[in-house]
């Protein structure tokens, strides 16, 4: 959290500099709206849109866009344990239905399963089920929340410091946090 006081978050306009944009928390919806107003692509994740906007606000060329991904073949129903995960497979509804059927209603695409599906092309769905069961102890341990999930990271940290705190208090603290500049 910032210790800066007395500053208030500026309006998100084309009058900002790239550095000023980066000092404050903005939602993806806010950033995307500004990108559209500026005639920039609003596509991609929050980090990509932020980088594109910061460059444009400073009059710099846009950062290189990642190479477009070819549309990969996705699995369609019916699938079974011998079905092979193709390259580029997403965590789809077809996979979810299969895993719920095999694992039970507790199944969800956690980080371990998302990574497995993304990086284990050529493996079978039966191997993916075995991976789910093999990672349950690890999945129960606290994990670092990725940077793009800033809200979730803030709430986890806030609740660790205020174990008896109410959700309303946590949300008020979040609003105060995001209204302050970073750093």
């Amino acid at each position: 959290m910032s210790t800066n006081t007395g500053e208030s978050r500026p309006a998100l306009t084309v009058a900002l500099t790239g550095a000023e944009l980066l000092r404050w928390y903005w939602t993806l919806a806010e950033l995307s709206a500004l990108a559209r107003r500026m005639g920039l692509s609003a596509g991609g994740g929050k980090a990509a849109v932020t980088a594109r906007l910061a460059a444009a606000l400073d009059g710099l060329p846009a950062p290189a866009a990642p190479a477009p991904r070819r549309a990969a073949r996705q699995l369609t129903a019916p699938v079974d344990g011998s079905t092979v995960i193709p390259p580029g497979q997403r965590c789809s509804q077809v996979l979810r239905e299969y895993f719920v059927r095999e694992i039970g209603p507790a199944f969800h695409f956690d980080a371990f399963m998302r990574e497995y599906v993304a990086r284990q092309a050529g493996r079978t769905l039966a191997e993916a089920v075995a991976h789910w069961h093999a990672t349950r102890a690890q999945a129960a341990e606290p994990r670092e929340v990725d940077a793009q999930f800033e809200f979730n990271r803030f709430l986890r940290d806030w609740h660790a410091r205020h174990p008896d705190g109410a959700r309303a208090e946590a949300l008020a603290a979040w609003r105060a946090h995001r209204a302050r500049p970073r750093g």
Side-chain angles (χ1 to χ4, degrees), residues 13-91:
T13 69
V14 297
L16 290 178
T17 64
E20 191 66 9
L21 173 84
L22 297 173
R23 286 187 68 219
W24 301 90
Y25 175 87
W26 310 100
T27 65
L28 179 57
E30 291 170 315
L31 295 167
S32 296
L34 179 60
R36 283 188 210 92
R37 283 195 309 270
M38 293 177 66
L40 300 171
S41 169
K46 185 175 178 181
V49 175
T50 301
R52 199 174 305 123
L53 280 169
L57 290 168
D58 287 342
L60 301 172
R69 287 191 259 167
R70 280 187 313 137
R73 180 181 72 86
Q74 298 294 301
L75 292 175
T76 57
V79 296
D80 61 27
S82 65
T83 302
V84 174
I85 300 170
Q89 176 64 43
R90 292 185 303 273
C91 296

Side-chain angles (χ1 to χ4, degrees), residues 3 6 9-10 13 19 26 36 45 54 56 59 67 116-117 141 148 153 155 161 174 176:
T3 57
R9 190 172 88 144
T13 69
W26 310 100
R36 283 188 210 92
Y116 190 90
V117 170
E141 295 173 10
Q148 72 266 32
R153 178 182 285 184
L155 287 181
R161 290 188 316 273
W174 166 249

Side-chain angles (χ1 to χ4, degrees), residues 127-145:
E127 290 172 302
V129 169
H131 174 76
W132 165 267
H133 291 297
T135 58
R136 290 310 84 204
Q138 219 178 340
E141 295 173 10
R143 292 184 50 133
E144 182 67 25
V145 178

